[in-house]
């Protein structure tokens, strides 16, 4: 081959290689262009992620207030304790010191619940990690001790404390079933915390830190901070004081009547639908919601005694089920048989439909036979002849079966819809239950439904329906949140009263209210709901439920189909399974009372439902009515509703002081206590030598105090304050605080705390008198 040919071939090869290199270079340039333009953010993020760490800055969760501005849920600063295994490993390698052991020992000794093995494992087995959490919700005082430990051993790059906002409930268990709680990350799990989580939780911020290859923080200019946005605040309709009144009464009836399936109660403003109080008799500490209440814990311990292994899956399942039951809001999520409290609704239907008159009578022989079935009245011997008002007041089942016949199935079903029983109320709480009526109601069903048996409604449905009778015939939507606002006070939501529909006429409402009130103040079945000074409309109810009972723990057995046709029963709590015959039938009761007051100008309604009481007389009139009365008695004056006492009521409220002189101190104390009065003993003697007030003096029963002198004479004195211009409740309390007695003149509403003020007092201001002395106060209504 000549030189020319060789040169030509070489040039071709060079050109090809040149083009190849140029093509690769062009491709690389194009790729760089893509990276620098279209994919810039993607690759920038990858690089930043390799040299930065982002720490979340949690938003402060919104606060929850009661209607008076009292804080029900707020936030406190606690700390997340975490270590940097990467930094620990680097320090151990550089300094040849056992930092993992030192840190594990130190933190285990300082923080309750933190164990050495756990910390040591985090420090030695996760050495590529910059952040491993050791503990959450570390309190400030403990954080200070950890800081001292960090400073003493120069562990600043290995142990960290991150401030966090932790949910805190100042009143612990108050309104626990309404408020609910959050998880460890601040996410709502129950109650209002869950229902309004999207408003409460806010938006987290971020603190982005730059670190070198060893995990050490780089200078400040390589960091950035993104502010968190705090959550909105809720102002609820709950009144903490009324809530306390209700919770106290539920606890009292549960204890006295040994209630096995909890009790619940609601206090509602009948004119707006606002819930002033709602409670269940299984209150739990909102700051430690995973701890079982005393009743649930005792049930768990009983099962352990029966042979349950505390480490078994069955035990853990049972514990979780008991927790879920404890947390559930019985007033909203569960339905019950309303019993005779539903007769308020049936009576309203009958009057509205004009199928009954106030003057006609029905004879009750103790039963009524319908469609071949004999259905008994609770008064098995019969009531005899009763007028319609008496039928409602005496809760005669025969009367109400008669009303059911007259109303008819179709119209009755219409009213069930009108009163809101076919739908959930829409209250702003999660998990609301619904009623259960027969899908195809028969005339026999109606006969029993008419007096409140064989169907179920929720407590919130029942009080909402009854409140429509109280307020003149308007069905309202019950609610708990009055407004939602930010920290600056800007309101983003304000509730407006929602009227769903008219249920019955105002005239019918007035008649029903009058009948119910006359039964309470007279000799009706709801007379135990009577409150002196207030006209109370009330109805009690008692219903029976038959259930299969677990032979091991006493809980309800639930049928379960096994195979094609075999049915066994499974305990709802302990899961014990056996044939139906091994689960005996038990008769259990539900006792309830619903009331509203004042009957002539209703303001609030109260419902208490007690599920499965087992001790004492098991009727709504004894298990629920007295406790409804106490809620009304305490709440009405507190809410500023004036009491109006009749002369007869005032006379009963004044008590004539007996003579205790020469009686034993022990015997005198017993007599005073039985009379409903307070006492104070001065001296160490065994017998009473003198007393104040003297025998024969009249004092107010509600606040009376007897001072007994035993072996000594009156020598202690107190200074009478100037009570003029004070409202009654304030003046009365001022005297009670000094162990002085009060007598009232010139007011029939002196305990209401509104309207009337002291104009004169029998003992001059500044005068010194012995404890027990009676001070007569004269009242006059402001502006009169």
């Amino acid at each position: 081959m000549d030189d020319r040919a060789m040169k030509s071939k070489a040039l071709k090869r060079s050109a090809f290689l040149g083009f190849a290199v140029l093509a690769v270079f062009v491709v690389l340039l194009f790729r760089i262009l893509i990276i620098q333009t279209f994919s810039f953010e993607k690759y920038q993020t990858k690089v930043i992620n390799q040299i930065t760490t982002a720490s979340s800055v949690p938003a402060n969760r919104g606060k929850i207030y009661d209607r008076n501005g009292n804080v029900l849920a707020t936030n406190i600063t606690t700390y997340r304790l975490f270590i940097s295994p990467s930094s620990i490993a680097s320090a151990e390698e550089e300094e040849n010191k056992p930092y993992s052991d030192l840190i594990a020992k130190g933190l285990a000794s300082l923080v309750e619940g933190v164990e050495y093995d756990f910390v040591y494992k985090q420090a030695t087995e996760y050495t590529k990690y910059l952040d491993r959490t050791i503990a959450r919700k570390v309190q400030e005082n403990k954080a200070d001790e950890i800081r001292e430990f960090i400073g003493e051993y120069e562990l600043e790059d290995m142990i960290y404390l991150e401030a966090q906002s932790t949910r805190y409930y100042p009143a612990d268990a108050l309104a626990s079933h309404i408020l609910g709680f959050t998880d460890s990350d601040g996410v709502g799990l129950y109650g209002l915390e869950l229902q309004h989580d999207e408003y409460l939780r806010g938006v987290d911020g971020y603190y982005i830190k730059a670190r070198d290859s060893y995990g050490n923080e780089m200078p400040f200019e390589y960091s950035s901070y993104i502010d968190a946005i705090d959550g909105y605040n809720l102002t609820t309709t709950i009144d903490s004081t009324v809530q306390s009144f209700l919770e106290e009464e539920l606890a009292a009836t549960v204890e006295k009547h040994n209630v096995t399936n909890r009790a619940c109660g609601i206090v509602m403003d009948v004119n707006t639908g606002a819930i002033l109080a709602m409670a269940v008799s299984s209150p739990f500490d909102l700051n430690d919601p995973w701890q079982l209440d005393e009743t649930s814990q005792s049930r768990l311990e009983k099962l352990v005694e029966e042979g349950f292994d505390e480490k078994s899956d069955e035990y853990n399942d049972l514990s979780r089920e008991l927790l879920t039951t404890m947390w559930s809001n019985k007033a909203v999520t569960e339905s019950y048989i309303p019993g005779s409290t539903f007769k308020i609704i049936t009576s309203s239907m009958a009057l509205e439909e004009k199928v009954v008159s106030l003057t006609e009578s029905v004879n009750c022989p103790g039963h009524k036979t319908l469609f071949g079935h004999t259905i008994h009245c609770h008064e098995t011997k019969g009531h005899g002849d009763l007028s319609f008002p008496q039928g409602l007041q005496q809760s005669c089942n025969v009367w109400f079966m008669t009303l059911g016949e007259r109303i008819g199935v179709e119209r009755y079903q219409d009213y069930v819809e009108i009163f809101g029983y076919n739908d959930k109320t829409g209250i702003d709480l999660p998990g609301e239950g619904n009623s259960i009526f027969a899908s195809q109601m028969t005339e026999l069903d109606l006969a029993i439904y008419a007096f409140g048996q064989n169907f179920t409604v929720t407590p919130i449905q029942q009080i909402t329906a009854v409140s429509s009778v109280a307020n003149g015939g308007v069905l309202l939507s019950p609610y708990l949140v009055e407004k939602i606002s930010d920290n600056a006070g800007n309101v983003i939501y304000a509730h407006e009263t929602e009227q769903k529909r008219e249920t019955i006429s105002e005239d019918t409402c007035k008649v029903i209210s009058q009948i119910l009130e006359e039964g309470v103040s007279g000799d009706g079945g709801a007379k135990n709901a009577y409150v002196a000074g207030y006209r109370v409309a009330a109805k009690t109810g008692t219903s029976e439920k038959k259930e299969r009972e677990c032979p091991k723990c006493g809980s309800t057995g639930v049928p379960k189909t096994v195979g094609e046709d075999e049915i066994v029963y499974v305990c709802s709590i302990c899961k014990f399974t056996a044939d139906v015959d091994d689960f005996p039938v038990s008769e259990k009761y539900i006792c309830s009372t619903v009331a509203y007051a004042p009957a002539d100008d209703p303001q609030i309604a109260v419902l208490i439902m007690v599920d499965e009481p087992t001790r004492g007389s098991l009727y709504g009139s004894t298990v629920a009515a007295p406790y409804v009365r106490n809620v009304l008695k305490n709440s009405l004056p507190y809410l500023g509703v004036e009491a109006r006492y009749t002369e007869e009521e005032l006379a009963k409220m004044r008590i004539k002081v007996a003579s205790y002189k020469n009686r034993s101190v022990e015997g005198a104390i017993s007599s005073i206590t039985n009379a409903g009065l307070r006492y104070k003993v001065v001296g160490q003697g065994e017998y009473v030598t003198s007393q104040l007030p003297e025998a024969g003096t009249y004092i107010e029963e509600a606040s009376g105090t007897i001072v007994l002198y035993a072996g000594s004479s009156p020598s202690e004195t107190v200074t009478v304050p100037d009570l003029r211009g004070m409202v009654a409740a304030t003046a009365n309390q001022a005297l009670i605080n000094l162990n002085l007695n009060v007598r009232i003149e010139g007011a029939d509403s002196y305990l209401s705390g509104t309207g009337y003020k002291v104009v004169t007092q029998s003992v001059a201001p500044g005068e010194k008198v012995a404890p027990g002395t009676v001070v007569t106060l004269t009242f006059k209504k402001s502006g009169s």
Side-chain angles (χ1 to χ4, degrees), residues 616-627:
S617 179
L618 304 182
Y619 296 99
S621 59
T622 54
V623 177
Y627 306 94

Side-chain angles (χ1 to χ4, degrees), residues 423-546:
D423 302 305
K424 298 178 181 180
T425 65
I427 188 171
D428 42 349
L429 280 176
E432 183 179 3
N434 206 346
S435 61
I436 301 175
F437 288 85
S439 57
Q440 297 293 326
M441 189 185 298
T442 66
E443 292 184 8
L444 182 59
D445 290 328
L446 175 56
I448 301 172
Y449 282 11
F451 56 86
Q453 300 290 339
N454 281 15
F455 65 92
T456 64
V457 299
T458 63
I460 189 65
Q461 284 177 322
Q462 183 68 353
I463 197 171
T464 301
V466 171
S467 291
S468 79
V469 178
N471 67 26
V474 179
L475 187 69
L476 302 173
S477 294
Y479 71 101
L480 279 158
V481 174
E482 195 67 64
K483 67 177 180 179
I484 302 175
S485 58
D486 61 20
N487 287 332
N490 300 308
V491 177
I492 67 165
Y493 165 81
H495 181 83
E496 295 183 1
T497 300
E498 181 183 348
Q499 298 184 0
K500 292 184 176 179
R501 67 185 71 93
E502 182 179 314
T503 53
I504 52 177
S505 68
E506 187 173 353
D507 288 342
T508 298
C509 294
K510 288 180 179 178
V511 173
I512 293 295
S513 296
Q514 181 177 347
I515 294 173
L516 292 173
E517 189 279 326
E518 289 173 352
V520 172
S521 59
D523 194 35
K527 61 185 177 183
N528 284 342
Y530 168 78
V531 180
Y534 296 97
R535 297 183 64 194
V536 176
K539 189 76 192 72
T540 63
T542 307
S543 52
E544 183 181 358
K545 57 180 183 177
K546 294 183 179 181

